[in-house]
Coordinates of all heavy atoms in Angstrom, one line a residue:
Chain U
V10 N 4.5 -12.3 12.6 CA 4.3 -12.9 11.3 C 2.9 -12.6 10.8 O 2.0 -12.5 11.7 CB 4.6 -14.4 11.4 CG1 4.5 -15.0 10.0 CG2 6.0 -14.6 12.0
M27 N -7.0 7.2 21.8 CA -7.9 8.2 21.3 C -8.9 8.7 22.3 O -9.2 9.8 22.4 CB -8.6 7.7 20.1 CG -9.2 8.8 19.3 SD -9.8 8.4 17.6 CE -11.4 7.9 18.0
I33 N -2.1 10.3 17.9 CA -1.7 9.0 17.5 C -1.2 9.0 16.0 O -1.8 9.7 15.2 CB -2.9 8.0 17.5 CG1 -3.6 8.0 18.9 CG2 -2.5 6.6 17.1 CD1 -5.0 7.4 18.9
K34 N -0.2 8.2 15.7 CA 0.1 7.9 14.3 C 0.5 6.4 14.3 O 1.2 5.9 15.2 CB 1.3 8.7 13.8 CG 0.9 10.2 13.5 CD 1.5 10.7 12.3 CE 0.9 12.0 11.9 NZ 1.4 12.6 10.6
Q35 N -0.1 5.7 13.4 CA 0.2 4.3 13.3 C 0.4 3.8 11.8 O -0.6 3.8 11.1 CB -1.0 3.5 13.9 CG -0.7 2.0 14.0 CD -1.9 1.2 13.9 OE1 -3.0 1.6 14.2 NE2 -1.7 0.0 13.4
A36 N 1.6 3.5 11.5 CA 1.9 3.1 10.1 C 1.8 1.5 10.1 O 2.4 0.9 10.9 CB 3.3 3.5 9.7
E37 N 1.0 1.0 9.2 CA 0.8 -0.4 9.1 C 1.4 -1.0 7.8 O 1.8 -0.2 6.9 CB -0.7 -0.7 9.0 CG -1.5 -0.1 10.2 CD -3.0 -0.3 10.1 OE1 -3.5 -0.8 9.1 OE2 -3.7 0.1 11.1
H39 N 0.4 -3.5 4.7 CA -0.7 -4.3 4.1 C -0.1 -4.9 2.8 O 1.0 -4.6 2.5 CB -1.8 -3.4 3.6 CG -2.5 -2.7 4.7 ND1 -3.8 -2.3 4.6 CD2 -2.1 -2.2 5.9 CE1 -4.2 -1.6 5.7 NE2 -3.2 -1.6 6.5
M41 N 1.4 -7.6 0.1 CA 2.1 -8.8 -0.2 C 2.8 -9.4 1.1 O 2.8 -10.6 1.3 CB 3.2 -8.6 -1.2 CG 3.8 -9.9 -1.8 SD 4.7 -9.5 -3.3 CE 4.3 -10.8 -4.3
R44 N 1.5 -12.3 3.6 CA 1.3 -13.7 3.3 C 2.4 -14.5 4.0 O 3.4 -15.0 3.4 CB 1.5 -13.9 1.8 CG 0.4 -13.2 0.9 CD -0.9 -14.0 0.9 NE -1.9 -13.3 0.2 CZ -2.7 -12.4 0.7 NH1 -2.6 -12.2 2.0 NH2 -3.6 -11.8 0.0
G46 N 4.8 -13.5 5.7 CA 6.1 -12.8 5.9 C 6.1 -12.1 7.2 O 5.2 -12.1 8.0
D47 N 7.3 -11.4 7.5 CA 7.4 -10.6 8.7 C 6.6 -9.3 8.5 O 6.6 -8.7 7.4 CB 8.8 -10.3 9.0 CG 9.5 -9.6 7.9 OD1 9.8 -10.2 6.8 OD2 9.8 -8.4 8.0
R53 N 2.8 5.4 17.4 CA 3.3 6.5 18.2 C 2.1 7.2 18.9 O 1.1 7.5 18.3 CB 4.0 7.5 17.3 CG 4.9 6.9 16.3 CD 5.8 8.0 15.6 NE 6.9 8.5 16.5 CZ 7.7 9.5 16.2 NH1 7.5 10.1 15.0 NH2 8.6 9.8 17.0
A60 N 5.0 14.4 14.4 CA 5.3 14.7 13.0 C 5.4 13.5 12.1 O 4.5 13.3 11.3 CB 6.7 15.5 13.0
S61 N 6.4 12.6 12.4 CA 6.6 11.5 11.5 C 5.7 10.3 11.8 O 5.4 10.0 12.9 CB 8.1 11.1 11.6 OG 8.3 9.8 11.0
D62 N 5.3 9.6 10.7 CA 4.5 8.4 10.9 C 5.5 7.2 11.3 O 5.0 6.2 11.9 CB 3.8 8.0 9.6 CG 2.7 9.0 9.2 OD1 3.1 10.1 8.7 OD2 1.5 8.8 9.5
L63 N 6.7 7.4 11.0 CA 7.7 6.3 11.3 C 8.5 6.7 12.5 O 8.8 7.9 12.7 CB 8.6 6.1 10.1 CG 7.9 5.5 8.8 CD1 8.9 5.4 7.7 CD2 7.3 4.2 9.1
P65 N 12.0 7.1 14.5 CA 13.4 7.1 14.1 C 14.1 5.9 14.8 O 13.7 5.4 15.9 CB 13.9 8.4 14.7 CG 12.7 9.3 14.8 CD 11.5 8.3 15.1
R66 N 15.1 5.4 14.1 CA 15.9 4.3 14.6 C 16.5 4.6 16.0 O 17.0 5.7 16.3 CB 17.1 4.1 13.7 CG 17.8 2.8 13.8 CD 18.9 2.8 12.7 NE 20.1 2.1 13.1 CZ 20.3 0.8 12.8 NH1 19.4 0.1 12.1 NH2 21.4 0.2 13.2
G67 N 16.4 3.6 16.9 CA 17.0 3.8 18.3 C 16.1 4.7 19.2 O 16.5 5.1 20.2
E76 N 6.5 -12.9 18.2 CA 7.5 -14.0 17.8 C 8.9 -13.5 18.2 O 9.3 -12.4 18.0 CB 7.3 -14.1 16.3 CG 7.6 -15.5 15.8 CD 9.1 -15.8 15.6 OE1 9.9 -14.9 15.6 OE2 9.4 -17.0 15.4
M78 N 12.1 -14.2 17.1 CA 13.1 -13.7 16.1 C 12.7 -12.4 15.6 O 13.5 -11.5 15.3 CB 13.2 -14.7 15.0 CG 14.3 -14.3 14.0 SD 14.5 -15.4 12.6 CE 13.1 -15.0 11.5
E79 N 11.3 -12.2 15.5 CA 10.9 -10.9 15.0 C 11.2 -9.8 16.0 O 11.5 -8.6 15.6 CB 9.4 -10.9 14.6 CG 9.0 -11.9 13.5 CD 9.8 -11.6 12.2 OE1 10.1 -10.5 11.9 OE2 10.2 -12.6 11.6
L81 N 13.8 -9.7 17.9 CA 15.2 -9.4 17.7 C 15.5 -8.6 16.4 O 16.4 -7.8 16.4 CB 16.0 -10.7 17.7 CG 17.5 -10.6 17.9 CD1 17.9 -9.9 19.2 CD2 18.2 -12.0 17.8
R82 N 14.7 -8.8 15.4 CA 14.9 -8.1 14.1 C 14.8 -6.6 14.4 O 15.5 -5.8 13.7 CB 13.8 -8.5 13.1 CG 14.0 -8.0 11.7 CD 12.8 -8.3 10.8 NE 12.4 -9.7 10.7 CZ 13.0 -10.6 9.9 NH1 14.0 -10.3 9.2 NH2 12.6 -11.9 9.9
P85 N 17.5 -3.1 16.9 CA 18.3 -1.9 16.6 C 17.4 -0.7 16.6 O 17.9 0.5 16.6 CB 18.9 -2.1 15.2 CG 18.9 -3.6 15.0 CD 17.7 -4.1 15.8
L87 N 15.3 -0.1 19.1 CA 14.9 0.2 20.5 C 15.8 1.2 21.1 O 17.1 1.2 20.9 CB 15.1 -1.2 21.2 CG 14.4 -1.3 22.6 CD1 12.9 -1.1 22.5 CD2 14.8 -2.6 23.2
A88 N 15.2 2.1 21.9 CA 16.0 3.1 22.7 C 16.9 2.3 23.7 O 16.5 1.2 24.1 CB 15.1 4.0 23.3
P89 N 18.0 3.0 24.1 CA 18.9 2.2 25.1 C 18.2 1.7 26.3 O 18.6 0.6 26.8 CB 19.9 3.3 25.4 CG 19.9 4.3 24.3 CD 18.5 4.3 23.7
F100 N 7.8 -19.1 15.6 CA 6.9 -19.4 14.5 C 7.8 -19.8 13.3 O 8.4 -19.0 12.7 CB 6.0 -18.2 14.1 CG 5.0 -18.5 13.1 CD1 3.6 -18.6 13.5 CD2 5.3 -18.6 11.7 CE1 2.6 -18.9 12.5 CE2 4.3 -18.8 10.8 CZ 2.9 -19.0 11.2
N102 N 8.3 -21.0 9.9 CA 7.7 -21.3 8.5 C 8.8 -21.1 7.5 O 8.5 -20.8 6.3 CB 6.5 -20.4 8.3 CG 6.9 -18.9 8.3 OD1 7.9 -18.5 8.7 ND2 6.0 -18.1 7.7
I103 N 10.1 -21.1 7.9 CA 11.2 -21.0 7.0 C 12.2 -22.1 7.3 O 12.3 -22.5 8.5 CB 11.9 -19.6 7.1 CG1 12.1 -19.2 8.6 CG2 11.1 -18.5 6.4 CD1 12.9 -18.0 8.8
P107 N 16.8 -19.7 13.0 CA 18.0 -19.9 13.8 C 17.8 -20.7 15.1 O 16.6 -21.1 15.4 CB 18.3 -18.4 14.2 CG 17.0 -17.7 14.0 CD 16.3 -18.4 12.9
L112 N 18.8 -17.6 20.2 CA 17.9 -16.5 20.0 C 17.4 -15.9 21.4 O 17.5 -14.7 21.6 CB 16.7 -17.1 19.3 CG 15.7 -16.1 18.6 CD1 16.5 -15.2 17.6 CD2 14.6 -16.8 17.8
A115 N 20.3 -14.1 23.1 CA 20.5 -12.8 22.5 C 19.5 -11.8 23.0 O 19.8 -10.7 23.4 CB 20.5 -12.9 21.0
E118 N 20.0 -10.3 26.4 CA 21.0 -9.3 26.6 C 20.4 -7.9 26.5 O 21.1 -6.9 26.8 CB 22.1 -9.5 25.6 CG 22.9 -10.8 26.0 CD 24.2 -10.9 25.2 OE1 24.8 -9.9 24.9 OE2 24.6 -12.1 25.0
Chain I
L4 N -10.3 7.9 14.3 CA -9.0 7.4 14.0 C -9.1 6.7 12.6 O -9.7 5.7 12.4 CB -8.6 6.4 15.1 CG -7.2 5.7 15.0 CD1 -6.1 6.8 15.0 CD2 -7.0 4.7 16.1
L6 N -7.2 5.5 8.8 CA -6.1 5.4 7.8 C -6.1 6.5 6.8 O -7.1 7.1 6.5 CB -6.3 4.1 7.0 CG -5.9 2.7 7.5 CD1 -6.2 1.7 6.3 CD2 -4.4 2.7 7.8
E33 N -7.9 0.3 0.2 CA -8.8 0.6 1.3 C -9.7 1.8 1.1 O -10.7 2.0 1.8 CB -8.0 0.8 2.6 CG -7.3 -0.4 3.1 CD -6.0 -0.7 2.4 OE1 -5.6 0.1 1.5 OE2 -5.3 -1.7 2.6
S114 N 5.0 -3.6 -2.4 CA 4.1 -4.5 -3.1 C 4.0 -4.1 -4.6 O 2.9 -4.1 -5.1 CB 2.7 -4.5 -2.5 OG 2.7 -4.7 -1.1
Q138 N -2.9 12.9 7.4 CA -4.3 12.3 7.2 C -5.3 13.4 7.2 O -6.3 13.4 6.5 CB -4.5 11.3 8.2 CG -3.7 10.0 8.1 CD -2.2 10.2 8.6 OE1 -1.8 11.2 9.1 NE2 -1.5 9.1 8.6
R166 N 3.2 5.4 3.1 CA 3.1 5.7 4.5 C 1.9 6.7 4.8 O 1.6 6.8 6.0 CB 4.4 6.4 5.0 CG 5.6 5.5 4.8 CD 5.5 4.3 5.8 NE 6.5 3.3 5.5 CZ 6.6 2.1 6.0 NH1 5.7 1.7 6.8 NH2 7.6 1.3 5.7
H169 N -1.3 4.1 4.4 CA -1.4 3.0 5.3 C -1.0 3.4 6.7 O -0.5 2.6 7.5 CB -0.6 1.8 4.9 CG -1.3 1.0 3.8 ND1 -0.7 0.0 3.1 CD2 -2.6 1.1 3.3 CE1 -1.6 -0.5 2.2 NE2 -2.7 0.2 2.3
S170 N -1.2 4.7 7.1 CA -0.9 5.1 8.4 C -2.1 5.8 9.0 O -2.8 6.5 8.3 CB 0.3 6.1 8.4 OG 0.5 6.5 9.7
R171 N -2.4 5.5 10.3 CA -3.6 6.0 10.9 C -3.3 7.2 11.7 O -2.2 7.3 12.3 CB -4.1 5.0 11.9 CG -5.0 3.9 11.4 CD -5.4 2.9 12.4 NE -5.5 1.6 11.8 CZ -6.6 1.3 11.0 NH1 -7.6 2.1 10.9 NH2 -6.6 0.1 10.4
A172 N -4.2 8.1 11.8 CA -4.1 9.3 12.7 C -5.5 9.7 13.1 O -6.5 9.4 12.4 CB -3.3 10.4 12.1
I243 N 4.6 13.8 2.6 CA 4.9 13.2 3.8 C 6.4 13.4 4.3 O 6.7 13.4 5.5 CB 4.6 11.6 3.8 CG1 4.4 11.1 5.2 CG2 5.7 10.9 3.0 CD1 3.6 9.9 5.2
N246 N 6.9 15.8 7.1 CA 6.9 15.3 8.5 C 8.2 14.8 9.0 O 8.5 15.0 10.2 CB 5.9 14.1 8.6 CG 4.5 14.5 8.2 OD1 4.1 15.7 8.2 ND2 3.7 13.6 7.7
Y247 N 9.0 14.2 8.1 CA 10.3 13.7 8.5 C 11.2 14.9 8.9 O 12.0 14.8 9.8 CB 10.9 12.9 7.4 CG 10.1 11.6 7.1 CD1 10.1 11.1 5.8 CD2 9.3 11.0 8.1 CE1 9.3 10.0 5.5 CE2 8.6 9.9 7.8 CZ 8.6 9.4 6.5 OH 7.8 8.2 6.2
C249 N 10.2 17.9 10.0 CA 9.7 18.4 11.3 C 10.1 17.5 12.5 O 10.4 18.0 13.5 CB 8.2 18.5 11.3 SG 7.6 19.8 10.2
E250 N 10.2 16.2 12.2 CA 10.6 15.2 13.3 C 12.0 15.5 13.7 O 12.4 15.3 14.9 CB 10.5 13.8 12.7 CG 10.9 12.7 13.7 CD 9.8 12.4 14.7 OE1 8.7 12.7 14.5 OE2 10.2 11.9 15.8
P322 N 12.7 8.9 8.6 CA 13.1 10.0 9.4 C 14.6 9.9 9.6 O 15.3 10.9 9.8 CB 12.4 9.7 10.8 CG 11.6 8.5 10.7 CD 11.6 8.1 9.2
D323 N 15.2 8.7 9.6 CA 16.6 8.5 9.8 C 17.5 9.1 8.7 O 18.4 9.8 8.9 CB 17.0 7.1 10.0 CG 16.1 6.4 11.0 OD1 16.0 7.0 12.2 OD2 15.4 5.4 10.7
D345 N 24.2 6.4 15.9 CA 22.9 6.4 16.6 C 23.1 5.6 17.8 O 23.9 4.7 17.9 CB 21.8 6.0 15.7 CG 22.0 4.7 15.1 OD1 23.0 4.0 15.4 OD2 21.2 4.3 14.3
S346 N 22.3 5.9 18.8 CA 22.4 5.2 20.1 C 21.1 4.3 20.2 O 20.0 4.8 20.1 CB 22.5 6.2 21.2 OG 21.7 5.9 22.3
H347 N 21.3 3.0 20.5 CA 20.2 2.2 20.7 C 20.6 1.0 21.6 O 21.7 0.8 21.9 CB 19.6 1.7 19.3 CG 20.6 1.0 18.5 ND1 20.9 -0.4 18.7 CD2 21.4 1.4 17.5 CE1 21.8 -0.8 17.8 NE2 22.2 0.3 17.0
A348 N 19.6 0.2 22.0 CA 19.8 -0.9 22.8 C 20.5 -2.0 22.0 O 20.3 -2.1 20.8 CB 18.5 -1.5 23.3
H349 N 21.5 -2.7 22.5 CA 22.2 -3.7 21.8 C 21.9 -5.1 22.2 O 21.8 -5.5 23.3 CB 23.7 -3.4 21.9 CG 24.2 -2.2 21.2 ND1 24.4 -2.1 19.9 CD2 24.3 -0.9 21.7 CE1 24.8 -0.9 19.6 NE2 24.7 -0.1 20.6
A350 N 21.8 -5.9 21.1 CA 21.7 -7.4 21.3 C 22.5 -8.0 20.2 O 22.5 -7.5 19.1 CB 20.3 -7.9 21.3
P351 N 23.2 -9.1 20.4 CA 23.9 -9.8 19.3 C 22.9 -10.2 18.2 O 21.9 -10.8 18.6 CB 24.6 -10.9 19.9 CG 23.9 -11.2 21.2 CD 23.3 -9.9 21.6
L352 N 23.1 -9.9 17.0 CA 22.2 -10.3 15.9 C 22.7 -11.5 15.2 O 22.1 -12.0 14.2 CB 22.0 -9.1 14.9 CG 21.3 -7.9 15.5 CD1 21.1 -6.8 14.5 CD2 20.0 -8.3 16.2
L359 N 21.2 -14.6 13.7 CA 20.1 -14.9 14.5 C 18.8 -14.4 14.0 O 17.7 -14.7 14.5 CB 20.3 -14.4 15.9 CG 21.3 -15.2 16.8 CD1 21.6 -14.5 18.1 CD2 20.8 -16.6 17.0
V360 N 18.9 -13.5 13.0 CA 17.7 -12.9 12.4 C 17.8 -13.2 10.9 O 18.8 -12.7 10.3 CB 17.5 -11.4 12.7 CG1 16.3 -10.9 11.9 CG2 17.4 -11.2 14.1
V361 N 16.9 -14.0 10.4 CA 17.0 -14.3 8.9 C 15.7 -13.8 8.2 O 14.7 -13.5 8.9 CB 17.1 -15.8 8.7 CG1 18.5 -16.3 9.2 CG2 16.0 -16.6 9.3
P362 N 15.8 -13.5 6.9 CA 14.6 -13.0 6.2 C 13.5 -14.0 6.3 O 13.7 -15.2 6.4 CB 15.1 -12.9 4.8 CG 16.6 -12.9 4.8 CD 16.9 -13.7 6.0
R363 N 12.3 -13.4 6.4 CA 11.1 -14.3 6.4 C 10.2 -13.8 5.2 O 9.3 -13.0 5.4 CB 10.3 -14.1 7.7 CG 9.3 -15.2 8.0 CD 8.4 -14.9 9.2 NE 9.1 -14.8 10.5 CZ 9.2 -15.8 11.4 NH1 8.7 -17.0 11.1 NH2 9.7 -15.6 12.6
P365 N 7.4 -13.5 2.2 CA 6.0 -14.0 2.1 C 6.0 -15.3 1.3 O 6.9 -15.6 0.6 CB 5.3 -12.9 1.4 CG 6.4 -12.2 0.7 CD 7.6 -12.3 1.5
A366 N 4.9 -16.1 1.5 CA 4.8 -17.4 0.8 C 3.3 -17.6 0.5 O 2.4 -17.0 1.1 CB 5.4 -18.5 1.7
C398 N -0.8 -13.2 -6.2 CA -0.2 -14.1 -5.2 C 0.7 -15.1 -5.9 O 1.8 -15.4 -5.3 CB -1.3 -14.8 -4.4 SG -2.3 -13.8 -3.3
L401 N 4.5 -15.4 -6.3 CA 5.3 -16.0 -5.3 C 5.8 -17.4 -5.7 O 6.7 -18.0 -5.1 CB 4.6 -16.1 -3.9 CG 4.2 -14.8 -3.3 CD1 3.3 -15.0 -2.1 CD2 5.5 -14.1 -2.8
A472 N -7.1 -11.9 -4.8 CA -6.6 -12.4 -3.5 C -5.5 -11.5 -3.0 O -5.5 -11.2 -1.8 CB -6.2 -13.8 -3.7
M473 N -4.6 -11.2 -3.8 CA -3.4 -10.4 -3.4 C -3.7 -9.2 -2.5 O -3.0 -8.9 -1.6 CB -2.6 -10.0 -4.6 CG -1.4 -9.2 -4.4 SD 0.1 -10.3 -4.3 CE 0.2 -10.5 -2.6

Side-chain angles (χ1 to χ4, degrees):
Chain U
V10 182
M27 196 168 89
I33 304 162
K34 286 221 169 182
Q35 188 212 332
E37 301 175 357
H39 299 207
M41 192 165 223
R44 300 276 175 274
D47 56 290
R53 315 188 76 186
S61 166
D62 296 76
L63 297 177
R66 194 179 148 95
E76 209 279 345
M78 183 179 80
E79 296 308 322
L81 195 58
R82 190 187 304 280
L87 194 65
F100 188 101
N102 63 344
I103 44 172
L112 196 59
E118 292 192 28
Chain I
L4 182 58
L6 276 183
E33 294 79 3
S114 306
Q138 291 79 355
R166 298 295 172 190
H169 284 172
S170 179
R171 274 176 216 283
I243 202 154
N246 301 336
Y247 299 148
C249 293
E250 181 75 25
D323 308 307
D345 55 5
S346 136
H347 58 81
H349 289 277
L352 296 180
L359 282 174
V360 177
V361 295
R363 197 192 294 266
C398 291
L401 295 171
M473 177 95 265

